[in-house]
Amino acid sequence: SKHLYLGLQETPDHLLITIEDNGIGRKAAATMTNHRNNGVGTKNLLAIIDLLNQHNTAQLHFNIADVPAPDTGTKVSISIPKQYNYAL
């Protein structure tokens, strides 16, 4: 069966967000014939994070990874500093 895990954790300096599923994973999805490989949304998101991080000492971190074998799925980890300036 399919599962989706959403985790929120607060540390003194950061908010940590974890999103994990047990799908086939990004690497396996890339081999499918109906897979689109443009990734525009992810590229735009990473560009925005990079731009915002240039104006902050504490950095926002965003990571997407396949779940290690023998399991399958994708894990997204986001670390947001509590003292973060979103203005450009």
Side-chain angles (χ1 to χ4, degrees):
S1 70
K2 299 294 181 189
H3 296 281
L4 179 66
Y5 168 81
L6 301 173
L8 291 171
Q9 181 181 357
E10 184 175 6
T11 70
D13 299 323
H14 291 82
L15 296 175
L16 306 173
I17 303 166
T18 303
I19 306 162
E20 188 172 336
D21 68 30
N22 66 340
I24 63 171
R26 296 176 326 130
K27 188 182 288 185
T31 66
M32 299 176 69
T33 57
N34 65 344
H35 176 74
R36 294 185 316 207
N37 198 17
N38 51 13
V40 173
T42 301
K43 287 177 189 172
N44 288 342
L45 179 62
L46 293 174
I48 291 167
I49 290 171
D50 184 51
L51 185 62
L52 289 170
N53 278 342
Q54 291 176 25
H55 299 276
N56 286 276
T57 303
Q59 303 288 285
L60 188 152
H61 296 281
F62 177 86
N63 185 57
I64 302 175
D66 284 335
V67 173
D71 296 325
T72 62
T74 303
K75 182 176 182 177
V76 176
S77 301
I78 306 165
S79 174
I80 305 170
K82 288 184 178 177
Q83 301 299 320
Y84 198 75
N85 180 7
Y86 296 93
L88 294 178

